[in-house]
Amino acid sequence: MGCISSKQSKHTPGYEDPVLLASQTSFTVSEVEALYDLFKKLSFSIIKDGLIHKEEFQLALFRNSSKKNLFADRIFSLFDAKRNGAIGFGDFVRALSVFHPSTPVYEKAAFAFRLYDLRHTGSIERVELKEMVLALLSESELELSEDIVEAIVDNTFKQADLNGDGKIDEDEWKEFVTQNPAILKNMTLPYLLDITMTFPSFVMYSETNDTDIII
């Protein structure tokens, strides 16, 4: 009994078996084990309770626990699958797996759709797209004029809103990213193939055209 208790005390709340997580994600068992070391480091960086809270998530992403950014809020929300304000180990691995190079494109597309569906209506509206574009530009430290931002939104809806109802549903989104695969380029983090103790950055800095959507 004592041995079991001692072993359990070494794990954070919400710990899940690496073998199980490897079977559910694109990671190998050894990669999941490496991620657990990273998870423990992050989950004890501020609050120290074995869960990743928003402040710790933002500290890892932006080196600033108090920075306000819609992009960070949306990413945290999608990682926080249980909607309890904190990320457990299993949810951390499953969400991070979306960014693995081996993860199917349709899973990346679905994650990106939920990222932009700010109001959880099952579709992306113009105002939601614009808000996210502005947030991503801000995080990437890119400054574009209002006209260019509007052009990004207009161009996206021109291509993606196939039925012309003023919003992009999930089927339209899938078709849009199929025709424009570069849109999902930042949904893949190559270095997840060689996991280190550095938290992945979800904002990839690369040369983009002014009318590209940054995801």
Side-chain angles (χ1 to χ4, degrees):
M1 183 73 71
C3 290
I4 294 175
S5 176
S6 175
K7 184 176 291 186
Q8 288 178 336
S9 67
K10 296 179 181 179
H11 295 317
T12 58
Y15 175 82
E16 295 183 37
D17 178 38
V19 175
L20 174 63
L21 288 172
S23 72
Q24 298 174 342
T25 67
S26 297
F27 295 112
T28 64
V29 174
S30 60
E31 287 172 336
V32 173
E33 291 171 342
L35 283 173
Y36 185 57
D37 289 335
L38 173 59
F39 178 84
K40 286 189 293 184
K41 180 180 179 181
L42 297 179
S43 64
F44 284 91
S45 60
I46 298 177
I47 299 178
K48 307 182 189 305
D49 65 352
L51 298 169
I52 297 178
H53 296 261
K54 185 176 289 188
E55 300 92 333
E56 293 166 322
F57 193 75
Q58 292 189 170
L59 180 63
L61 276 174
F62 307 116
R63 303 291 182 252
N64 185 333
S65 62
S66 61
K67 182 173 182 176
K68 302 298 182 183
N69 183 278
L70 176 62
F71 177 66
D73 288 345
R74 292 299 299 143
I75 291 289
F76 181 85
S77 176
L78 293 180
F79 270 64
D80 179 18
K82 296 181 176 64
R83 301 289 185 267
N84 60 3
I87 302 168
F89 178 58
D91 290 337
F92 175 75
V93 174
R94 278 185 286 269
L96 194 59
S97 178
V98 173
F99 296 87
H100 194 284
S102 299
T103 297
V105 171
Y106 73 86
E107 290 187 28
K108 297 176 185 292
F111 188 95
F113 181 83
R114 288 185 289 133
L115 185 69
Y116 279 83
D117 181 14
L118 303 180
R119 293 160 182 77
H120 312 291
T121 60
S123 62
I124 302 171
E125 300 178 5
R126 285 184 60 90
V127 64
E128 293 174 315
L129 178 61
K130 184 175 181 179
E131 285 179 36
M132 281 299 297
V133 169
L134 290 172
L136 288 163
L137 289 172
S138 174
E139 182 49 41
S140 301
E141 298 183 351
L142 296 174
E143 294 186 11
L144 299 180
S145 69
E146 179 71 16
D147 288 345
I148 293 177
V149 172
E150 287 292 341
I152 292 173
V153 176
D154 288 343
N155 185 56
T156 301
F157 267 80
K158 182 179 180 180
Q159 295 182 59
D161 182 15
L162 300 178
N163 62 11
D165 65 352
K167 55 190 177 182
I168 303 169
D169 63 33
E170 193 161 6
D171 288 335
E172 290 173 326
W173 176 258
K174 290 176 182 177
E175 178 64 23
F176 178 58
V177 299
T178 298
Q179 299 299 321
N180 301 271
I183 289 172
L184 296 180
K185 63 181 179 294
N186 290 339
M187 290 298 299
T188 296
L189 304 178
Y191 44 86
L192 285 180
L193 288 171
D194 183 21
I195 296 169
T196 68
M197 291 302 292
T198 301
F199 188 79
S201 170
F202 293 95
V203 179
M204 307 296 287
Y205 298 97
S206 59
E207 293 184 2
T208 60
N209 294 323
D210 287 343
T211 54
D212 282 347
I213 298 177
I214 305 170
I215 293 180

